[in-house]
Amino acid sequence: MRDLDDSGWLDRIEDLGELEGYFEPLGQSHAALFADRGPVLLVSFETRATIRARTDDQLPLGFALAEAADHSSLTLIATEESWFRDPAVYAYFDRLVDEAFFEDFDRVVFYGAGSCGYAAAAYSVAAPGATVVTLAPQATLDARLAGWDDRFSRKRRLDFVSRYGYAPDMLDGAGQGYVIFDPRQSLDAMHAALMARPQITLLPCRGLGARVETALYEMDVLEPLITHACAGSLDEATFWRLYRARRNALRYLRGLTNTLAQMHRTFLEALACRNVVARLGGPRFRNRLTVLEAELEAQGQPLPKALHERV
């Protein structure tokens, strides 16, 4: 669908909704795509730009993952970064609650990242007992509570006070929740701290950077993460087991070695580069290792032989 403009793409999504369940515009800037399949429901919040940039098929992530597992899906789509703060969206979830929509499913999972992570947490209150998975979400942009976050100044005019407003409070009814973030991204870490609740597990992942969803997607962690959530088998131990995939993710490894370089930790950077070269190869890491080894030799601190080189 890459040859389509945004209007044509949305028409295709509407056709998909009519085939699978329904497609419903929600005001001028949002829409809902429902696919009626199995007794597990994945509710995802996504922006048009993110959907169209992710894969060639340009299908919403939640829709695609649910389809592969024969789960039902409800995808809320925003035409821009809106945090889904729209009376039309409030009214839609009010209607779902009135119709006892979520009670028709054995398990409900809410998912979103960033502004969409905020929405996943905020609207999860409509389905008490749901599992909520959020990546680097904002708790609110209300200046009284998060005036320290200066990244979204143009969005301060949005109403974060009325319906479905303060995401941490909306999580009180969740069965289990997971907030994944990079603690080195200080603003993301501050929002995550606001999300802390007895049933909410904070998962700080150093080195993910600001684009947590992209990083986990490229590590091939995002899909199994959501799959486990939908199966009811996600817990902290499962996440950390999945997250070991970072050891083979070149973007993550580049970020790690760049951080060590910025900290002037030459010895540790050299060890990291040598480890990557031994396991994965890569000319960038090999060339950098050559430079670092020369620097360490000049300093009288040569790298010790690797274990496989020792007699």
Side-chain angles (χ1 to χ4, degrees):
M1 292 196 283
R2 289 201 178 280
D3 58 330
L4 300 174
D5 61 15
D6 286 340
S7 178
W9 173 82
L10 195 61
D11 288 342
R12 289 287 185 88
I13 296 297
E14 183 173 358
D15 292 342
L16 189 62
E18 292 177 357
L19 179 65
E20 297 279 357
Y22 67 74
F23 175 89
E24 182 176 341
L26 305 175
Q28 297 296 314
S29 302
H30 301 90
L33 169 65
F34 174 60
D36 189 4
R37 300 189 190 97
V40 174
L41 175 68
L42 174 59
V43 184
S44 65
F45 294 78
E46 308 182 40
T47 65
R48 179 177 62 196
T50 300
I51 295 170
R52 301 207 66 184
R54 183 181 290 112
T55 59
D56 288 338
D57 62 18
Q58 299 194 346
L59 293 175
L61 176 67
F63 176 91
L65 294 183
E67 181 181 39
D70 202 29
H71 296 326
S72 297
S73 63
L74 176 61
T75 306
L76 281 297
I77 301 171
T79 58
E80 61 178 1
E81 294 280 358
S82 68
W83 283 258
F84 293 83
R85 301 304 300 161
D86 185 333
V89 181
Y90 312 159
Y92 176 68
F93 275 92
D94 287 345
R95 192 185 83 207
L96 295 183
V97 172
D98 291 342
E99 295 173 351
F101 170 79
F102 295 107
E103 296 177 17
D104 290 338
F105 299 94
D106 295 343
R107 181 176 298 110
V108 179
V109 176
F110 281 70
Y111 167 77
S115 64
C116 297
Y118 159 83
Y123 289 104
S124 69
V125 72
T131 297
V132 184
V133 178
T134 62
L135 312 183
Q138 289 80 52
T140 179
L141 293 187
D142 181 1
R144 296 172 302 172
L145 297 173
W148 34 264
D149 190 340
D150 57 1
R151 295 175 294 181
F152 313 108
S153 57
R154 293 184 178 181
K155 300 297 182 178
R156 293 290 183 194
R157 59 183 173 77
L158 294 174
D159 171 19
F160 284 86
V161 177
S162 59
R163 307 297 311 287
Y164 304 97
Y166 186 51
D169 284 350
M170 300 300 102
L171 283 171
D172 284 345
Q176 292 291 326
Y178 302 89
V179 180
I180 302 169
F181 63 100
D182 184 342
R184 289 179 176 165
Q185 302 292 317
S186 58
L187 297 179
D188 287 346
M190 292 165 73
H191 281 289
L194 294 176
M195 297 282 195
R197 295 291 188 276
Q199 79 281 23
I200 305 301
T201 301
L202 303 186
L203 297 167
C205 302
R206 289 181 180 274
L208 277 183
R211 300 174 62 191
V212 174
E213 184 178 52
T214 299
L216 293 180
Y217 184 82
E218 292 180 350
M219 290 178 191
D220 292 326
V221 169
L222 187 58
E223 180 174 344
L225 171 69
I226 297 175
T227 298
H228 275 287
C230 289
S233 56
L234 180 61
D235 56 21
E236 188 170 0
T238 298
F239 172 77
W240 292 121
R241 185 168 63 252
L242 293 173
Y243 190 54
R244 292 189 65 187
R246 70 190 184 280
R247 298 178 67 251
N248 297 321
L250 291 179
R251 182 193 292 267
Y252 172 85
L253 295 169
R254 285 194 296 268
L256 173 64
T257 54
N258 287 341
T259 297
L260 292 172
Q262 292 166 8
M263 296 171 64
H264 305 291
R265 304 296 296 272
T266 306
F267 189 81
L268 290 179
E269 184 189 356
L271 288 177
C273 286
R274 186 170 70 179
N275 178 273
V276 174
V277 169
R279 293 187 300 107
L280 305 174
R284 179 186 182 279
F285 291 98
R286 184 174 288 106
N287 293 340
R288 180 60 178 165
L289 177 60
T290 299
V291 172
L292 294 171
E293 286 178 328
E295 290 181 7
L296 290 170
E297 287 282 355
Q299 296 170 11
Q301 294 181 313
L303 280 180
K305 289 184 177 181
L307 289 177
H308 69 274
E309 297 175 336
R310 299 177 186 176
V311 178

